[in-house]
Amino acid sequence: MIDFSSTDMKTFTCVLLILIGSTGGQFLAPGNHGNNVISRTSGNLLRNLMGTQTYKDAIVTSRLDASMPVRRFYRGFREIYSRLLGETGQRSSGNFLQSYVSPSKAFPCQVDGFRSSTPPESVHQLRPGDIDIVAAVGDSLTTATAANSRALWELMAENRGVSWSIGGQGTWRTHLTLPNIIKEFNPQLFGYSLSDSYNVHREAQFNVAENIATTSDMPYNAKKLVSRMRLDSRVNMTHHWKILTYMIGGNDFCSDICHQTNATHWINDLQEKYLLESLRYLRDNMPRTLVNLVPTPLISLSFSMDKVQRPFSCSLTQPIECSCLFGPRYSKDRNHFRTIERKFAKIMERLSFLAELHTKEFTIVYQPFFKDASVFYGGVKEPDMDLMSIDCVHLSQKGHAVSANGLWNNMMEAVGSKSSGFRPLFAEFKCPSREKPYIFTNYNS
């Protein structure tokens, strides 16, 4: 258990009471919406958490995002929690970590010559070293929630510094991430998350992902990212080349679809709507950007563990965190939800080829490596549960490293020839070549 001193407990209790009071008693307010119709600013918390909802204007939203008092309380609680918990992301031992790469071993790729002498004019002529800024939008798999957690009470820790697509903590030898790979080609890269942090913290930098986020949150997520970049004096929006990794969808099927009226009939349509809206916004407001569009691995990973003897911690948390797949009330429909999730992956791939989303300075590439993610990989019969965090829902730091390896390989693979599924770390690490120096896009493959 957490070893709180009496002073810590008094402080925690007092602040908790203050936070509850600051919500103005609206947690249990009945509201004026019949049949529990809610929007982002109205609704009864307990009913929102426990019942099937009808959303005003067909909006899909997370239960903890139902009202301003809830958001205020949640933000305050996280601040207290993170300060009491400390930096779990700094841990250097445990099976959940990637194996350290010795200094005697060179980086797998030749890095000299893979930054252009002058910035390229076309997104289809980007070398890895041409990337100046990294950014990410998404959910808890991008925030690296619980990546370094050893106990269930650490599940709310966001180890953003080790996130597969946007973490920049350490180096590739200790934390293989996309930024730590690109830093080998361009040491001046910036935008990556520096350490444990929440969205509102400076250390998060251009990782604006949020826990519990769904596809419907992506237009807001995209606007928040652009706003944050515009406020940063280091950023020259029209000069710097950017890589944005966009991964979403897990919560739609893990914890939303079974709680919403007739969702199986309309969720794909709304997912496509919000996905397209956010991508159009990014096209119009983030010049010089290559978007990695990535399907969620959460559903594939969940199904791959069906025949695994999971730890008690997973049996306890999965029905709570992923109630649509593991909750006894809804799990009978999980195969149907899986079919709908596969349709969403196809929607992502189809939208990545829309001509309107490609310009000389902006492009989208569908990177499918997560699509068939499994705890069984590398030709072995035994599952590698060290890829998963203590809750078997999120990825461990080792899982993030394997994911970064997969994303990088996809970026080095031509469209139409991209690999999917996990591979052992560094078993295959692809590199640019003199003949093919560019990050592959739909137009240079």
Side-chain angles (χ1 to χ4, degrees):
M1 297 178 65
I2 300 177
D3 183 20
F4 288 134
S5 68
S6 59
T7 302
D8 288 336
M9 284 303 298
K10 288 178 182 178
T11 302
F12 180 82
T13 303
C14 289
V15 177
L16 191 63
L17 290 172
I18 291 170
L19 286 169
I20 293 174
S22 72
T23 64
Q26 296 181 53
F27 276 120
L28 306 180
N32 298 316
H33 300 274
N35 299 319
N36 199 31
V37 177
I38 69 171
S39 70
R40 290 193 180 279
T41 57
S42 64
N44 176 295
L45 174 61
L46 289 184
R47 293 181 68 186
N48 294 347
L49 285 170
M50 298 169 62
T52 297
Q53 300 94 26
T54 301
Y55 288 84
K56 185 177 180 182
D57 301 324
I59 190 170
V60 185
T61 188
S62 306
R63 265 80 64 202
L64 286 176
D65 194 27
S67 65
M68 180 60 73
V70 175
R71 294 198 295 274
R72 190 181 303 128
F73 173 82
Y74 184 52
R75 177 171 175 173
F77 174 79
R78 289 199 306 177
E79 290 290 342
I80 300 167
Y81 174 89
S82 62
R83 292 179 187 181
L84 291 176
L85 196 61
E87 290 270 342
T88 64
Q90 299 298 325
R91 288 172 175 160
S92 57
S93 63
N95 293 336
F96 53 84
L97 300 177
Q98 74 175 75
S99 297
Y100 175 69
V101 180
S102 168
S104 63
K105 186 172 182 178
F107 183 68
C109 299
Q110 172 68 38
V111 299
D112 293 338
F114 292 102
R115 179 174 173 86
S116 303
S117 56
T118 58
E121 295 297 320
S122 171
V123 70
H124 309 295
Q125 295 177 335
L126 274 183
R127 301 168 192 256
D130 295 330
I131 304 302
D132 301 301
I133 301 172
V134 286
V137 296
D139 55 28
S140 57
L141 293 180
T142 298
T143 68
T145 290
N148 278 28
S149 293
R150 289 174 175 157
L152 288 177
W153 58 76
E154 298 174 344
L155 283 179
M156 287 179 61
E158 295 181 11
N159 307 129
R160 291 182 188 241
V162 308
S163 174
W164 58 286
S165 62
I166 186 64
Q169 182 176 317
T171 70
W172 67 275
R173 299 180 187 278
T174 56
H175 305 89
L176 188 69
T177 66
L178 180 62
N180 283 348
I181 294 170
I182 297 177
K183 277 192 280 183
E184 295 298 310
F185 296 91
N186 177 16
Q188 304 305 313
L189 182 77
F190 67 97
Y192 48 81
S193 296
L194 302 170
S195 61
D196 293 4
S197 51
Y198 293 126
N199 186 305
V200 295
H201 294 156
R202 185 178 298 274
E203 291 80 7
Q205 299 219 77
F206 298 147
N207 180 353
V208 298
E210 271 288 8
N211 285 4
I212 324 176
T214 62
T215 309
S216 66
D217 296 308
M218 291 303 98
Y220 171 78
N221 224 210
K223 291 174 183 176
K224 184 169 185 177
L225 172 62
V226 170
S227 175
R228 186 171 294 187
M229 282 189 167
R230 287 174 175 168
L231 289 171
D232 194 313
S233 60
R234 299 172 298 172
V235 176
N236 184 325
M237 292 291 278
T238 59
H239 176 77
H240 285 135
W241 281 104
K242 314 162 198 69
I243 283 273
L244 167 62
T245 302
Y246 184 136
M247 193 277 295
I248 198 65
N251 291 313
D252 298 50
F253 301 101
C254 202
S255 54
D256 262 16
I257 190 171
C258 61
H259 295 285
Q260 300 180 45
T261 307
N262 297 321
T264 58
H265 298 293
W266 50 255
I267 192 167
N268 282 158
D269 290 340
L270 281 189
Q271 286 176 314
E272 181 171 351
K273 169 190 171 184
Y274 291 122
L275 185 60
L276 188 55
E277 179 183 338
S278 58
L279 291 173
R280 283 171 172 162
Y281 180 84
L282 291 168
R283 175 201 62 195
D284 296 340
N285 294 276
M286 273 186 67
R288 295 206 163 191
T289 298
L290 187 152
V291 177
N292 288 320
L293 190 59
V294 184
T296 178
L298 198 153
I299 313 302
S300 290
L301 286 169
S302 295
F303 274 70
S304 76
M305 289 183 278
D306 279 353
K307 296 181 180 180
V308 174
Q309 186 65 39
R310 289 164 291 155
F312 174 72
S313 59
C314 300
S315 300
L316 181 65
T317 56
Q318 282 180 317
I320 298 171
E321 294 186 272
C322 195
S323 57
C324 296
L325 298 186
F326 296 99
R329 179 177 177 183
Y330 305 106
S331 58
K332 66 183 185 300
D333 297 318
R334 67 199 304 264
N335 287 324
H336 183 41
F337 300 155
R338 171 64 160 162
T339 300
I340 300 172
E341 183 265 338
R342 287 273 135 164
K343 289 181 180 178
F344 180 49
K346 291 180 180 178
I347 289 171
M348 275 190 160
E349 185 172 15
R350 175 168 52 80
L351 292 187
S352 74
F353 286 96
L354 278 184
E356 66 166 287
L357 295 177
H358 300 272
T359 69
K360 186 178 180 181
E361 291 196 337
F362 184 91
T363 200
I364 299 165
V365 185
Y366 178 71
Q367 311 289 18
F369 73 98
F370 263 156
K371 188 163 68 82
D372 299 310
S374 172
V375 294
F376 295 89
Y377 70 124
V380 299
K381 295 182 179 179
E382 293 298 317
D384 185 357
M385 293 302 290
D386 291 337
L387 293 174
M388 305 306 296
S389 181
I390 191 169
D391 61 356
C392 295
V393 173
H394 297 97
L395 294 166
S396 66
Q397 189 272 317
K398 179 181 178 182
H400 280 272
V402 168
S403 301
N405 199 156
L407 174 60
W408 173 254
N409 283 348
N410 270 185
M411 290 168 61
M412 296 294 105
E413 294 168 332
V415 174
S417 302
K418 294 183 181 291
S419 55
S420 65
F422 284 162
R423 288 170 175 76
L425 192 60
F426 295 115
E428 184 177 21
F429 194 92
K430 300 194 173 181
C431 301
S433 65
R434 301 299 175 189
E435 296 75 26
K436 297 180 179 179
Y438 306 132
I439 298 171
F440 280 102
T441 70
N442 295 1
Y443 293 85
N444 67 15
S445 293

